């Protein structure tokens, strides 16, 4: 996979605040990567570093092979960015807004109509942005980020304000862009909606990268249990005790349903044992650890690892009331 973004040992301090500390990762073509972390973890700072809006205190950032802060303007025009709090001139129409950003990106106005169509705003193209709903402004923001067919898209909290149907449209749109080879990094707090949509997850905590991998890889590292739940057939109620007597750990949920938390290596054996000898099973659920649970696990681990380290930045942040 060709790397489009490479961060190597990147740190960024704002005076006494260590917003990002020694972070390295690379992003490839045709990849959707989620960047997740608590408020103040350093996500926006990382995105600003990739955009070249700020420069690292230490380490190197490369976007399409160049330093985004000092490299050729051509690199920046191949980057699309949707900021966290998107805000447009309310007096301009949707078409005028995209025409304005197209001129800034030297992309020409040719794609404006198609982009508005693609994000479902064709009908509102000639209305002033002040009349748009929050979700419509967010979609206009996405269209703005797509000007010039960027090879790299950096999206900060992109689904804020979108209703469930618009969110689905948004992710299927990202799938198309990924299939065309774009690199997409999205920062988000909406963990459950990222499952099955992001190819990879990077978790940051207090400015440090604490995990980086596919959901399966993170599950393998975290070794959190998988929940297995069996529901016995109506005539199988008496078998509940047989299941429980074979493997300690099964707990009754209600009359006919039993549940167990299985370590990854015990999963299959537990399932076999639960359905052995013709025990009448009506239904079966196997729920691997969710991204929410993995996130909590890695944040906790990071908290233990960094105990006693310099948290001056976080103190300052708390004092600032963020
Ligand atoms: P959120 O989820 O709340 O948007 P985030 O993960 O995007 O948070 P950042 O905005 O990157 O976090 O902030 C990381 C840390 O750096 C915070 O402690 C923040 O207060 C600090 N910080 C960010 N920008 C500046 C700045 N320009 N000057 C001083 N401190 C800053």
């Amino acid at each position: 996979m060709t790397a489009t973004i490479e961060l190597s040992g990147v740190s960024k301090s704002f005076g006494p605040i260590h917003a990002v500390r020694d972070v390295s990762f690379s992003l490839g073509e045709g990849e959707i990567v989620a960047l997740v972390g608590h408020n103040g973890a350093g996500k926006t700072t990382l995105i600003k570093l990739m955009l070249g809006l700020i420069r690292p205190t230490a380490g190197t950032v490369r976007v399409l092979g160049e330093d985004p802060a000092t490299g050729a303007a051509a690199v920046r025009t191949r980057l699309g960015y949707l900021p966290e709090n998107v805000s447009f001139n309310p007096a301009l129409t949707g078409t005028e807004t995209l025409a304005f950003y197209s001129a800034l990106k030297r992309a020409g106005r040719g794609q404006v109509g198609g982009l508005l169509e693609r994000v479902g705003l064709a009908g509102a193209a000639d209305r002033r942005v002040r009349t748009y709903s929050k979700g419509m402004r967010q979609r206009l923001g996405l269209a703005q980020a797509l000007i010039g067919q960027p090879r790299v898209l950096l999206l900060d909290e992109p689904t804020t304000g979108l209703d469930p149907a618009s969110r689905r449209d948004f992710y299927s749109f990202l799938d198309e862009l990924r299939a065309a080879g774009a690199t997409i990094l999205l920062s988000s707090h909406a963990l459950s909606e990222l499952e099955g949509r992001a190819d990879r997850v990077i978790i940051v905590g207090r400015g440090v990268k604490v995990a980086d991998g596919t959901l399966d890889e993170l599950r393998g590292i975290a070794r959190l249990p998988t929940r297995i739940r069996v529901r016995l057939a109506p005539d199988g109620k008496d078998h509940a005790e047989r299941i429980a007597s074979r493997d300690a750990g099964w707990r009754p949920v209600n009359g006919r349903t039993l549940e167990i938390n299985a370590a990854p290596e015990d999963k299959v054996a537990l399932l076999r044992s639960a359905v052995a000898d013709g025990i009448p099973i009506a239904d079966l659920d196997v729920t691997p650890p969710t991204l929410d649970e993995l996130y909590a696990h890695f944040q906790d681990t990071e908290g233990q690892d960094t105990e006693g380290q310099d948290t001056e930045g976080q103190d300052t942040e708390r004092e600032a009331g963020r």
Side-chain angles (χ1 to χ4, degrees):
M1 188 165 31
T2 314
T4 48
I5 293 203
E6 286 182 290
L7 268 67
S8 175
V10 170
S11 298
K12 176 68 189 175
S13 301
F14 297 101
I17 300 174
H18 306 301
V20 168
R21 288 183 280 169
D22 196 20
V23 169
S24 302
F25 59 75
S26 67
L27 309 180
E29 277 178 350
E31 212 185 9
I32 299 182
V33 180
L35 180 63
V36 300
H38 291 336
N39 290 135
K43 304 178 297 293
T44 302
T45 304
L46 283 167
I47 289 179
K48 285 183 179 167
L49 285 161
M50 291 179 238
L51 287 165
L53 296 175
I54 53 176
R55 301 175 78 161
T57 315
T60 55
V61 181
R62 288 284 173 273
V63 177
L64 302 172
E66 295 205 37
D67 179 340
T70 58
V75 167
R76 286 187 291 279
T77 62
R78 303 313 310 271
L79 276 172
Y81 172 48
L82 175 63
E84 187 175 359
N85 296 307
V86 62
S87 129
F88 296 112
N89 181 343
L92 298 183
T93 65
T95 302
E96 287 165 352
T97 303
L98 289 197
F100 171 73
Y101 284 97
S102 299
L104 284 182
K105 268 194 155 181
R106 299 192 188 94
R109 299 178 60 136
Q111 7 167 213
V112 169
L115 282 173
L116 286 167
E117 176 100 44
R118 191 63 196 78
V119 298
L121 287 175
D126 297 323
R127 274 169 47 190
R128 289 181 198 279
V129 171
R130 85 157 67 92
T131 71
Y132 281 19
S133 70
K134 187 164 187 241
M136 289 167 82
R137 283 199 296 273
Q138 195 70 7
R139 283 188 267 156
L140 185 62
L142 182 61
Q144 168 277 130
L146 293 170
I147 291 169
Q149 290 169 324
R151 283 184 61 200
V152 176
L153 270 172
L154 304 174
L155 311 174
D156 206 349
E157 299 284 336
T159 56
T160 310
L162 296 187
D163 59 39
S166 305
R167 275 170 200 235
R168 271 197 307 279
D169 285 353
F170 168 76
Y171 283 109
S172 64
F173 192 19
L174 292 195
D175 284 343
E176 285 173 30
L177 296 167
R178 165 177 53 190
T183 300
I184 300 160
L185 180 80
L186 42 106
S187 113
S188 182
H189 292 287
L191 300 187
S192 53
E193 75 178 43
L194 294 171
E195 281 187 52
R197 285 169 167 148
D199 301 306
R200 203 171 118 202
V201 182
I202 296 175
I203 304 179
V204 287
R206 302 178 185 207
V208 177
K209 185 178 89 169
V210 294
D212 179 358
T214 64
L215 264 186
D216 280 344
E217 285 166 351
L218 298 189
R219 285 186 181 124
I221 298 166
R223 303 191 44 72
L224 295 177
T226 292
R227 198 193 67 203
I228 302 175
R229 187 178 265 215
V230 295
R231 193 156 64 84
L232 296 162
D235 61 341
K237 202 172 163 187
D238 298 340
H239 293 278
E241 260 181 38
R242 252 175 80 203
I243 295 181
S245 68
R246 282 184 188 163
D247 302 293
W250 285 102
R251 50 188 182 273
V253 176
N254 59 42
R256 289 198 285 130
T257 305
L258 291 164
E259 195 178 86
I260 194 166
N261 290 333
E265 64 276 14
D266 298 338
K267 237 174 2 192
V268 175
L270 280 166
L271 274 173
R272 280 219 182 90
S273 151
V275 300
D277 309 336
I279 291 176
I281 303 282
D283 204 0
L284 184 70
D285 271 333
V286 179
T287 316
T290 63
L291 181 53
D292 262 315
E293 289 164 337
L294 290 166
Y295 176 76
H297 167 84
F298 283 109
Q299 290 290 2
D300 286 352
T301 315
E302 195 275 332
Q304 285 158 20
D305 289 352
T306 56
E307 245 168 62
Q309 282 188 17
D310 175 14
T311 53
E312 197 171 4
Q314 278 63 42
D315 290 346
T316 309
E317 182 186 321
R318 274 196 292 274
E319 279 158 25
R322 279 193 72 203

